[in-house]
């Protein structure tokens, strides 16, 4: 299943396409997708296909199409501090993105049928923690995986705020899945060829919403033991964090949002989440390093205005007589003003003239036209200031030959930890023994 959006050249291109197609709709989900490179969860020989909106399978290793994952993430309505259970956790790609939103005080559990896939997922998780800059930019809820069939979870097991099943659920197992939810919780699963969102509104009340049509492999039925009794697969344990681990979380958070330097990551929306800060505390611009190079197309606005002005000039029936202020072509200038109001960048073209010429034209214009012109100019101040700054930056980049070169990111948290007057082993502990 997939192919709803076109392929991208890199992970950011893929996310841009998902946004344009309205599969990614919220800022938190967008940031989570941008923070995790989908290609990192592919085998090296298949990385070229990572940015296509297609599912991928190799042996027991499986990734759903990006458009499916984005719909799942949006439907789960994740918030920091919630508990999450991933049934059929696979490579851990989805669980890792979820962990960026849950933050360090959430719960992130997964159960996977194949033990070799769990080993693969743990390798990818370890690589993310040790090598990815995104790990230092966000507060993370590390997922825990266990091997087993999700249909063998004991009926009296703990319940979760959010549950996702990555395999087609047969109708007879719907009630079993519902019992894994707390009241107020959300379950997302493929049910009868539809990705379905079920919200538990009470002890025995539910709300169901069909999202999109999907095609998933069905859940594998459990194998019974010799005496006919079903095995019970225990879920991962809730682990109480040690005082040492809590101290590390608090120190990293304090350094991440430290306000005493000009380049500090802003607090942003993090304050609204209290201690359960997750991805919202990251302070990253939602477009990352790609935003700067996307503004280069604004240069063409004034050229269009000038071309339009030439058309007006050539189609004028007769030259306008000079007025008492030696301002020739007042009618022509008035036509130019009307056209410029409907062309993007036209307002900047008029304000680009020197003040004396503009004052003469305004004095020559009719009183009603002068008032309309002033109103239009005043209403566009904010927009044109931003466009002017963008154009200046673009011109500077063209002169230096660095138009399409993204600004390299700086790992501020790592730099601050390394600058602390602490023993090296303690610095490495604060960095989670990262490799770069």
């Amino acid at each position: 299943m997939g192919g709803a959006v076109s392929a991208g050249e890199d992970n950011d291109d893929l996310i841009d396409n998902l946004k344009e197609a309205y599969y990614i709709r919220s800022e938190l989900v967008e940031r989570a997708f941008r923070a995790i490179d989908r290609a990192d969860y592919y085998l090296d020989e298949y990385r070229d296909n990572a940015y296509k909106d297609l599912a991928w399978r190799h042996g027991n290793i499986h990734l759903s199409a990006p458009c499916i994952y984005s719909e799942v993430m949006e439907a789960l309505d994740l918030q920091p501090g919630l508990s999450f259970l991933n049934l059929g956790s696979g490579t851990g790609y989805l669980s890792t993105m979820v962990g960026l939103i849950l933050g360090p005080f959430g719960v992130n559990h997964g159960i996977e049928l194949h033990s070799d896939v769990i080993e693969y997922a743990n390798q990818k998780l370890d690589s993310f923690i040790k090598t990815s800059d995104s790990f230092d930019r966000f507060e993370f809820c590390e997922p825990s995986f266990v091997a087993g069939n999700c249909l063998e979870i004991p009926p009296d097991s703990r319940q979760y705020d959010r549950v996702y099943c990555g395999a087609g659920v047969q109708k007879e197992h719907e009630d079993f899945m519902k019992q894994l939810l707390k009241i107020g919780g959300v379950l997302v699963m493929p049910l009868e060829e539809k990705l379905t969102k079920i919200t538990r509104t009470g002890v025995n009340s539910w709300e169901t919403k069909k999202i999109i049509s999907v095609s998933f492999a069905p859940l594998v039925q459990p194998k019974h033991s010799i005496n006919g009794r079903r095995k019970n697969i225990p879920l991962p344990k809730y682990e109480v964090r040690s005082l040492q681990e809590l101290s590390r979380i608090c120190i990293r958070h304090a350094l991440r949002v430290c306000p005493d330097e000009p380049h500090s990551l802003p607090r942003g929306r993090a304050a609204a989440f209290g201690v359960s800060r997750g991805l919202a505390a990251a302070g990253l611009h939602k477009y990352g390093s790609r935003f700067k190079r996307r503004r280069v197309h604004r240069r063409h606005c004034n050229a269009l205005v000038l071309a339009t002005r030439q058309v007006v000039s050539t189609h004028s029936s007769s030259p306008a007589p000079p007025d008492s202020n030696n301002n020739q072509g007042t009618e022509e200038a008035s036509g130019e003003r009307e056209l410029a109001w409907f062309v993007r960048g036209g307002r900047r073209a008029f304000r680009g003239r020197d003040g004396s010429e503009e004052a003469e034209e305004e004095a020559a214009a009719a009183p009603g036209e002068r008032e309309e012109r002033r109103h239009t100019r005043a209403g566009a101040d904010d927009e044109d200031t931003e466009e002017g700054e963008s154009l200046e930056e673009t011109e500077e980049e063209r002169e230096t030959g660095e138009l399409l070169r993204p600004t390299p990111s700086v790992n501020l948290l790592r730099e601050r930890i390394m600058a602390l007057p602490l023993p090296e082993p303690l610095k490495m502990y604060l960095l989670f023994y990262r490799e770069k």
Side-chain angles (χ1 to χ4, degrees), residues 69 72-73 76 84 86 89 91-99 164:
Y69 281 133
V72 169
M73 290 281 285
L76 285 171
F84 172 69
N86 191 351
S89 52
T91 64
Y93 172 64
L94 178 67
S95 293
T96 302
M97 288 194 294
V98 169
Y164 170 66

Side-chain angles (χ1 to χ4, degrees), residues 7 23 85 155 172 201 204 251 277 301 373 385-387 415:
Y23 284 102
L85 176 62
E172 60 266 26
T201 57
N204 295 308
I251 291 171
R277 295 180 178 91
C301 299
R373 182 176 174 186
T385 299
E386 181 182 350
E387 290 184 3
E415 289 186 352

Side-chain angles (χ1 to χ4, degrees), residues 11-160:
N11 195 66
D12 277 327
D13 270 342
L14 174 62
I15 308 312
D16 290 342
N17 294 336
L18 291 171
K19 281 195 65 181
E20 290 173 4
Y22 208 61
Y23 284 102
I24 293 179
R25 299 176 288 279
S26 65
E27 190 171 306
L28 283 181
V29 171
E30 178 188 351
R31 291 181 181 177
F33 270 86
R34 292 195 189 278
I36 308 294
D37 195 325
R38 179 175 167 87
D40 291 341
Y41 289 80
Y42 275 66
L43 295 173
D44 289 340
E45 57 268 33
Y46 298 100
R47 287 178 67 94
D48 291 343
N49 297 321
Y51 307 121
K52 298 176 181 178
D53 188 28
L54 297 172
W56 172 68
R57 180 181 293 278
H58 181 79
N60 291 327
I61 302 172
H62 175 259
L63 280 167
S64 295
C67 66
I68 301 299
Y69 281 133
S70 56
E71 286 288 1
V72 169
M73 290 281 285
E74 293 287 354
L76 285 171
D77 190 22
L78 296 163
Q79 300 293 334
L82 297 181
S83 57
F84 172 69
L85 176 62
N86 191 351
L87 305 175
S89 52
T91 64
Y93 172 64
L94 178 67
S95 293
T96 302
M97 288 194 294
V98 169
L100 295 176
I101 300 179
L102 297 183
F105 303 106
V107 175
N108 193 356
H109 290 169
I111 181 169
E112 167 59 40
L113 183 63
H114 305 286
S115 57
D116 59 326
V117 178
I118 289 183
E119 182 180 355
Y120 184 85
N122 285 325
Q123 290 174 358
K124 295 301 180 183
L125 175 62
D126 188 59
S127 176
F128 170 73
I129 292 174
K130 289 185 176 180
T131 65
S132 174
D133 278 349
S134 293
F135 179 77
D136 283 338
R137 296 180 186 275
F138 308 119
E139 296 186 87
F140 184 55
C141 182
E142 184 175 339
S144 299
F145 307 113
V146 295
N149 191 316
C150 65
L151 294 176
E152 295 178 327
I153 297 174
D156 57 348
S157 64
R158 69 181 68 96
Q159 297 174 324
Y160 292 80

